[in-house]
Amino acid sequence: MYTIEGTLERITYQSDDDGYMVGRLTPKGRGYQVTVVGKLVGVRPGETLLLEGEWQEHRDHGRQFAVATYRTLMPATIDGIRRYLGSGLIKGIGPATAKKITDTFGKYTLDVIEREPDRLAEVPGLGRKKVELIKAAWREQQRIKEVMLFLQDVGLPTGLAVRIYKQYGDAAIGVVRDEPYRLADEVYGIGFLTADKIAAALGITPDDPRRVAAGLRHTLGAATDDGHCYLPAAELVRKAAAILGVGEALVSEVLATPGLAGEIESELSSPALGSSSPVYLRPLAMAETGVAGAILRLLRAPSEMAGFYRQARWSQVFAHLAEKRAITLADRQQDAVRMALTEKVSILTGGPGTGKTMSLRTVVTLAQARGYSVLLTSPTGRAARRLSEATGAEAKTIHRLLEYAPGGGGSFRRNADWPLACDLLVVDEVSMLDVLLANQLLKAVPAHAHLLLVGDADQLPSVGPGRVLRDLLESGVVPSVHLDTIFRQAAGSGIAHNARRINQGVPPELQGLEDFFFFPAPDAEACAARVIELVAERIPARFGLDPRRDIQVLSPTHKGAAGVASLNRLLQEALNPSAADKPEKSYGASLFRLGDRVIQQRNNYELDVYNGDIGVVAAIDHVEQSLRVRFEDGREVAFDFAILDELALAYALSVHKSQGGEYPAVVLPLLMQHGGMLQRNLLYTAVTRARGLAVLAGDRRAIAAAVATESAQRRYTGLEARLRG
């Protein structure tokens, strides 16, 4: 083993996952640089490092020093301090500010920041606010480095340190050391397997009841990712035991012990492995109960609106609409309008081109004409904008309608204690609504109000747990109207025509249509190349569409050559290539570039952005360590570099992520490699996202397989049974 002391000049590569780094270092007293490699957690250019390791000869990169252990020594020279501070270590200090600080304090700069930080006010041009920001960032950086080093000792990715510190502050190391399974429940980006790795490194045994309880919660959480609200006890025990590598008897014992498993709710009173009793994570049990209770209360409550419209002379109403407003409705549309205004809770369903929009617009028009207040909402911003365009009335996302308050842990201001002020609430795209958000929304509906739920039950179910629309329809307790006639204005649409064929289990017509095309490319790499050609060249040239704004690529899967991840990389290079005037920021396997189309991947209540929100990278500031996104509603939101895993490129999206959206053109690769994702409702959902042009590329056999395959998985939900009492 050899020892080297020197100054780290630059980092040429560093992994956020494990801290592995390749850098260039100038050994002390030498006039040349050497390459150093190894897991050097949190080091920065300008730092002085004491390294222990051995020299190796790399086949491609030549002689390099492989680091086994290291220690950070604060830089001793003014130039080293300047580069250390200006390297991005502290948010708000770039090279220019670092020079001002070192010009003021010289070789004592780091001592001043550490021991007398208020003296930073002596630096010319550095105001009090900036001083406070630097002080806070310095303290935080030192604590984060401690967490990084601790995580390194237990073999964990260093990129998690910032999230853990943000969650727990100075208590972070104590939580990691003493309660590692809390991380899986409380820190975004850390799952059970990561927490379990920490626990094992800290000596927690495989059969420890705390580990088994965490494994049960993890198994239920994984089930919610698949849309389930609960698992039958026997299935839960079997799956948890397999994940944990322990016996089913031990898992059953922990599950049946009151309070031991934490936020789990079941009716088990004994560890009976054959039990089919549902086992829930408690928030989901409460949500199901809340949704069922709210629907039943609304159905029973009296309504002045219903009383008035039940006495209406509907033939005259519809004749007046036709004469005065040029609104002519088919019989089923008239049924839908009557239902919405005479029933406390009702459901309107139908596919594209069947007249849902006109029916909905008529309901809003009639209610407002009588002075009734109407509110309109939808789960996503895209869907809310479409609802506004369809009705001519303002529509909001559910989160904004309920006035989400980020501070203090976050909550919805609108609830049972302060309900919404409306006589009619219209909720569009209800197929997207999971049981948790549905519960929050229904809490806020006033007892006297009508609730009209609008959606397409043949689309994919919600990304989140539950199948609210299907359960409501199948319970039979809520009146509903299904529109199934394609109207004249949509009759010439190949998209509407083929969507109906797909929904009926009949393969779509692939030739002779003006807005629906198919390009054969059964090989995955060839299919991906064809998709790029279509988006970047052929569709813009033929239809005059903007490839970045108007064309959305959808894929059934994330992996593979024709999956979301690969297509995003290819489309980024084709539509927004690297340039000297385009700043970039890498995070893990992702690269974000100025002008990139991006999507938010989780609800971030603090920033008031939500899963599925789409925007464009408007700025990247390496000094402030933030990336700004301009979302479709015009708002600009700054993302700290530490949370960029919440964003992903959005040139290509999964079909699931596209729900609630509508695009001028949709391009869909479909291959036999997509396997279990080849389902009828997935193909139907993808095709119906296209407003003016749908283009399929891939394998005819994959299209046929998707059309022939109804969704095999039935979600475990209890809402239908609760509605039936």
Side-chain angles (χ1 to χ4, degrees), residues 57-69:
E57 194 70 30
H58 192 277
R59 185 182 61 186
D60 298 323
H61 304 296
R63 187 170 171 80
Q64 56 189 30
F65 191 77
V67 179
T69 63

Side-chain angles (χ1 to χ4, degrees), residues 90-93 97 117-118 120-123 125-139 624:
I90 302 173
K91 186 186 298 186
I93 298 184
T97 303
D118 288 331
L120 288 168
E122 299 172 21
V123 178
L126 215 59
R128 173 51 56 185
K129 185 176 180 181
K130 189 78 166 182
V131 169
E132 292 302 319
L133 287 174
I134 293 173
K135 286 166 58 178
W138 176 266
R139 288 194 301 269
E624 295 298 329

Side-chain angles (χ1 to χ4, degrees), residues 249-579:
L250 173 61
V251 177
S252 293
E253 181 181 346
V254 171
L255 178 60
T257 303
L260 188 56
E263 289 290 304
I264 288 180
E265 186 168 300
S266 73
E267 300 170 3
L268 289 179
S269 57
S270 64
L273 292 182
S275 173
S276 60
S277 296
V279 184
Y280 288 82
L281 289 173
R282 188 163 294 130
L284 287 166
M286 294 172 65
E288 273 195 359
T289 303
V291 169
I295 292 291
L296 295 174
R297 282 193 298 274
L298 283 171
L299 286 169
R300 295 177 189 132
S303 159
E304 178 191 315
M305 183 191 300
F308 173 81
Y309 278 109
R310 283 171 186 156
Q311 305 301 316
R313 297 178 180 178
W314 283 102
S315 60
Q316 295 180 17
V317 171
F318 293 127
H320 176 81
L321 287 170
E323 180 183 351
K324 300 296 184 182
R325 296 181 180 261
I327 297 175
T328 302
L329 302 178
D331 290 346
R332 291 297 285 165
Q333 289 178 300
Q334 292 182 12
D335 292 341
V337 172
R338 270 193 298 265
M339 173 189 68
L341 296 173
T342 60
E343 300 287 352
K344 283 296 304 301
V345 183
S346 58
I347 302 173
L348 173 60
T349 66
T354 57
K356 289 200 308 292
T357 296
M358 182 58 72
S359 304
L360 183 53
R361 188 183 301 163
T362 305
V363 169
V364 173
T365 297
L366 289 175
Q368 290 178 334
R370 289 293 307 175
Y372 294 113
S373 61
V374 181
L375 292 177
L376 300 101
T377 190
S378 195
T380 69
R382 285 171 288 160
R385 281 189 294 279
R386 287 175 53 205
L387 183 57
S388 291
E389 293 165 2
T391 61
E394 182 186 16
K396 297 180 179 179
T397 64
I398 293 174
H399 283 87
R400 295 205 168 89
L401 182 75
L402 299 181
E403 300 179 31
Y404 188 82
S411 63
F412 291 99
R413 291 194 179 103
R414 294 289 186 171
N415 50 42
D417 295 326
W418 190 34
L420 297 166
C422 66
D423 300 305
L424 168 63
L425 175 64
V426 177
V427 187
D428 197 16
E429 295 288 355
V430 180
S431 63
M432 299 179 64
L433 197 59
D434 65 52
V435 70
L436 293 166
L437 188 55
N439 183 41
Q440 296 294 340
L441 176 62
L442 294 178
K443 282 180 185 178
V445 180
H448 75 278
H450 284 221
L451 175 65
L452 174 59
L453 304 172
V454 184
D456 186 347
D458 295 314
Q459 288 186 28
L460 288 167
S462 59
V463 175
R467 35 172 243 153
V468 174
L469 180 57
R470 276 283 178 195
D471 282 346
L472 287 169
L473 288 168
E474 293 178 8
S475 73
V477 304
V478 179
S480 65
V481 168
H482 177 69
L483 303 178
D484 57 6
T485 301
I486 295 181
F487 285 90
R488 187 167 55 251
Q489 60 268 32
S493 165
I495 294 170
H497 172 70
N498 274 338
R500 185 165 190 169
R501 288 175 66 93
I502 292 165
N503 204 27
Q504 294 171 342
V506 179
E509 294 181 5
L510 301 178
Q511 292 179 322
L513 300 172
E514 295 183 357
D515 61 355
F516 198 105
F517 298 88
F518 170 71
F519 291 85
D523 175 76
E525 284 75 15
C527 182
R530 177 56 58 88
V531 167
I532 306 308
E533 178 194 14
L534 286 164
V535 174
E537 301 172 20
R538 297 184 65 163
I539 293 176
R542 169 82 179 271
F543 296 96
L545 297 176
D546 185 307
R548 284 203 282 181
R549 186 184 64 241
D550 299 330
I551 306 172
Q552 183 62 61
V553 175
L554 305 179
S555 179
T557 62
H558 283 273
K559 297 180 179 179
V564 171
S566 175
L567 289 171
N568 265 319
R569 287 192 293 270
L570 294 171
L571 287 163
Q572 182 188 48
E573 286 309 307
L575 302 179
N576 190 30
S578 178

Side-chain angles (χ1 to χ4, degrees), residues 41-217:
V41 180
V43 297
R44 298 280 181 170
E47 282 185 310
T48 301
L49 304 176
L50 184 62
L51 309 175
E52 189 175 73
E54 57 185 26
W55 290 100
Q56 295 178 344
E57 194 70 30
H58 192 277
R59 185 182 61 186
D60 298 323
H61 304 296
R63 187 170 171 80
Q64 56 189 30
F65 191 77
V67 179
T69 63
Y70 74 97
R71 194 153 53 90
T72 301
L73 308 173
M74 285 299 182
T77 67
I78 294 175
D79 181 61
I81 294 170
R82 181 181 299 125
R83 284 188 294 117
Y84 174 64
L85 288 178
S87 67
L89 172 74
I90 302 173
K91 186 186 298 186
I93 298 184
T97 303
K99 184 177 186 305
K100 288 181 182 179
I101 295 173
T102 52
D103 285 349
T104 302
F105 300 114
K107 65 181 181 180
Y108 302 106
T109 294
L110 296 180
D111 285 335
V112 168
I113 296 175
E114 179 67 33
R115 297 185 175 89
E116 302 176 274
D118 288 331
R119 289 190 60 197
L120 288 168
E122 299 172 21
V123 178
L126 215 59
R128 173 51 56 185
K129 185 176 180 181
K130 189 78 166 182
V131 169
E132 292 302 319
L133 287 174
I134 293 173
K135 286 166 58 178
W138 176 266
R139 288 194 301 269
E140 182 176 294
Q141 194 57 233
Q142 303 313 302
R143 302 293 185 274
I144 288 172
K145 186 171 285 191
E146 290 177 24
V147 177
M148 282 182 171
L149 293 171
F150 182 77
L151 290 179
Q152 184 190 37
D153 289 341
V154 295
L156 283 180
T158 60
L160 299 178
V162 175
R163 285 198 178 278
I164 293 172
Y165 182 79
K166 295 284 188 187
Q167 180 74 26
Y168 302 113
D170 290 344
I173 291 178
V175 171
V176 174
R177 183 180 58 240
D178 302 330
E179 303 174 90
Y181 291 109
R182 278 182 62 186
L183 303 178
D185 296 330
E186 298 172 358
V187 181
Y188 174 73
I190 298 182
F192 169 77
L193 298 180
T194 301
D196 199 37
K197 188 175 180 180
I198 298 175
L202 295 170
I204 293 178
T205 59
D207 60 353
D208 190 301
R210 293 173 297 172
R211 177 175 184 265
V212 176
L216 282 164
R217 295 194 299 274

